Amino acid sequence: MKTILHAENITKVYQTKMARHEALKPTSLTVHEAEFVSIMGPSGAGKSTLLNLLSTIDQPSEGMISINGEDVTSMTEKQLARFRRERLGFIFQDFNLLDTMTVEENIALPLALARVEKAMIVLRVEQVARQLGVEDLLKKRPVELSGGQKQRVAAARAIIHQPSLLLADEPTGALDSKSATGLLEALETLNEQGATILMVTHDPVTASYAERIVFVKDGELFREIHRFGTQKEFFEQIMEVQRELGGAAREFV
Ligand SMILES: Nc1ncnc2c1ncn2[C@@H]1O[C@H](COP(=O)(O)OP(=O)(O)OP(=O)(O)O)[C@@H](O)[C@H]1O
Ligand SMILES: [Mg+2]
């Protein structure tokens, strides 16, 4: 199995004049090609801190991270910007679509930035738009879309350049349950087609779409569970760990 991401003893210390806060204690994590991994844990546990380090948005205080065999912790800002653009895909809670552009232009952006040939871009936009069920929205602008539609457009943009790794922080956070299910089913399909996905969520239903969940507590990896049996059974298992974690997990009936 090919390793897509490897983090070795990474830490994050936030240092202000007043205080020193160790948001992430030495943590190691490996994600293989075509895995769908979720990061869970109580609020303030360090999930976003961990994802920001793994996604090269932030630098670890110590430790090493490699993605697709490349050491991203030793790259210059310029090299990193290029690496992110070419190798990574991002989905955020607040969509981050550009309102001045059409859906089509938004989705095409990573390829346009990489100066891919126009005909190729048109072809790829058609492909991913169909994959995410937004092919009828291409001429619209983001303001004309619902939250769920926007998030599927954001997902299409995140995968158009076939990134080595797709990163998502609370991708369903702003969606109603129907839209969330649509997005998660799309992510599941992408994963079945070989995409490697790393997703932070506090929602057990969202997490149950992953095949492995890493729980973070007080800046440390607390537990790791693998999917077995049905999604419902996995959900029950997640709830059990949540109860153990003592977080403010809501009960689902
Ligand atoms: N820029 C920063 N400066 C100082 N402390 C920070 C900074 N960012 C995060 N922290 C602290 O680090 C800890 C972990 O924060 P983080 O955002 O990773 O939590 P989280 O697990 O994503 O929580 P949530 O579920 O609420 O999003 C928290 O105690 C937070 O206050
Ligand atoms: Mg967070």
Side-chain angles (χ1 to χ4, degrees):
M1 238 186 313
K2 190 179 164 198
T3 297
I4 289 291
L5 177 135
H6 180 67
E8 186 76 31
N9 284 318
I10 53 168
T11 66
K12 185 67 188 180
V13 177
Y14 290 114
Q15 182 81 57
T16 59
K17 272 191 190 136
M18 306 298 290
R20 181 182 184 278
H21 182 71
E22 194 176 24
L24 192 68
K25 294 168 188 150
T27 296
S28 298
L29 182 70
T30 300
V31 177
H32 294 110
E33 187 165 39
E35 262 199 297
F36 189 167
V37 180
S38 179
I39 298 172
M40 292 194 82
S43 182
K47 302 180 297 294
S48 294
T49 299
L50 177 60
L51 191 79
N52 289 345
L53 298 180
L54 299 177
S55 61
T56 77
I57 289 171
D58 203 0
Q59 289 277 338
S61 304
E62 293 164 287
M64 193 276 291
I65 300 166
S66 73
I67 301 175
N68 223 16
E70 292 194 70
D71 180 353
V72 295
T73 33
S74 66
M75 285 185 189
T76 63
E77 213 20 77
K78 199 173 164 200
Q79 288 171 320
L80 262 184
R82 186 189 172 126
F83 183 83
R84 266 184 223 123
R85 210 166 59 217
E86 292 179 355
R87 295 266 158 243
L88 305 180
F90 296 93
I91 308 176
F92 298 99
Q93 179 175 350
D94 55 1
F95 316 123
N96 273 323
L97 296 176
L98 300 170
D99 285 324
T100 55
M101 292 184 174
T102 63
V103 164
E104 189 170 24
E105 289 163 343
N106 265 285
I107 295 175
L109 199 59
L111 296 186
L113 288 173
R115 299 200 181 81
V116 171
E117 201 190 323
K118 186 91 195 294
M120 184 64 182
I121 294 182
V122 172
L123 203 73
R124 277 294 293 159
V125 168
E126 268 174 29
Q127 274 177 354
V128 294
R130 221 175 309 122
Q131 243 174 320
L132 285 147
V134 294
E135 66 269 43
D136 297 333
L137 308 174
L138 290 176
K139 300 296 173 203
K140 295 193 180 225
R141 288 184 193 271
V143 289
E144 300 171 79
L145 307 182
S146 73
Q149 289 170 333
K150 279 187 203 167
Q151 201 57 305
R152 276 180 286 139
V153 170
R157 183 186 56 185
I159 59 155
I160 192 164
H161 55 306
Q162 294 170 306
S164 305
L165 183 61
L166 185 58
L167 300 140
D169 197 350
E170 300 284 2
T172 57
L175 304 182
D176 61 38
S177 69
K178 186 161 171 276
S179 304
T181 303
L183 178 71
L184 288 164
E185 282 172 355
L187 290 182
E188 203 173 39
T189 305
L190 290 172
N191 176 243
E192 280 159 11
Q193 292 164 349
T196 310
I197 305 175
L198 189 58
M199 169 180 79
V200 164
T201 182
H202 69 276
D203 176 35
V205 179
T206 298
S208 69
Y209 281 80
E211 55 189 319
R212 172 155 71 107
I213 302 177
V214 175
F215 289 86
V216 180
K217 185 186 184 184
D218 300 330
E220 285 184 287
L221 296 192
F222 168 79
R223 180 75 58 79
E224 190 176 300
I225 58 173
H226 289 258
R227 182 160 167 178
F228 71 95
T230 64
Q231 191 176 0
K232 176 112 195 332
E233 285 169 321
F234 194 35
F235 171 79
E236 294 301 336
Q237 202 188 354
I238 296 166
M239 292 304 289
E240 215 168 284
V241 181
Q242 294 248 51
R243 279 191 285 271
E244 236 180 283
L245 264 168
R250 284 178 295 136
E251 292 283 341
F252 283 72
V253 282

